[in-house]
């Protein structure tokens, strides 16, 4: 059961990172939601020029991931307009 989409979707093949948090993501997040998050996270890192060496950046991304997965308002890259279909 995907926490973000509230429906049964394909899960991840393995936890995305070690430890309790990785297991929690594995148990509650679908492959679709995780792919969407990693794409959004990459955009945030690039557009905001974030350094993954900075512990505050990792904490920021962790908080934003929780918001994203819980359907709350999460940080977007300033000025980004998604491509029209």
């Amino acid at each position: 059961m995907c926490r973000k989409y509230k429906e049964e979707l394909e899960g991840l093949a393995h936890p995305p990172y070690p430890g309790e948090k990785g297991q929690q993501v594995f148990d509650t997040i679908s492959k679709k939601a995780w792919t969407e998050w990693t794409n959004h996270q990459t955009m945030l890192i690039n557009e905001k020029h974030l350094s993954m060496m900075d512990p505050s950046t990792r904490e920021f991304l962790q908080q934003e991931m929780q918001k994203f997965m819980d359907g709350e308002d999460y940080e977007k890259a300033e000025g980004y307009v998604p491509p029209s279909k």
Side-chain angles (χ1 to χ4, degrees):
M1 177 65 101
C2 178
R3 186 168 103 208
K4 180 167 179 64
Y5 292 107
K6 311 284 190 260
E7 60 182 271
E8 291 288 332
L9 294 169
E10 180 183 357
L12 297 170
H14 51 79
Y17 40 86
E20 185 178 329
K21 292 245 186 225
Q23 188 63 44
Q24 182 184 30
V25 169
F26 179 73
D27 292 340
T28 63
I29 302 301
S30 68
K31 183 178 181 179
K32 175 183 175 184
W34 185 252
T35 299
E36 289 174 4
W37 166 249
T38 56
N39 290 338
H40 183 72
Q41 176 180 255
T42 300
M43 183 172 50
L44 286 176
I45 292 166
N46 290 337
E47 295 297 320
K48 294 182 173 290
H49 306 286
L50 302 176
S51 169
M52 293 306 292
M53 298 297 288
D54 183 352
S56 65
T57 292
R58 294 191 302 271
E59 180 62 29
F60 165 76
L61 290 172
Q62 186 70 33
Q63 291 170 358
E64 293 308 306
M65 181 187 78
Q66 294 298 325
K67 293 176 190 176
F68 180 86
M69 295 303 176
D70 290 336
E72 298 173 9
D73 190 28
Y74 56 91
E75 187 75 23
K76 318 265 187 329
E78 292 88 13
Y80 175 75
V81 177
S84 58
K85 294 182 180 180

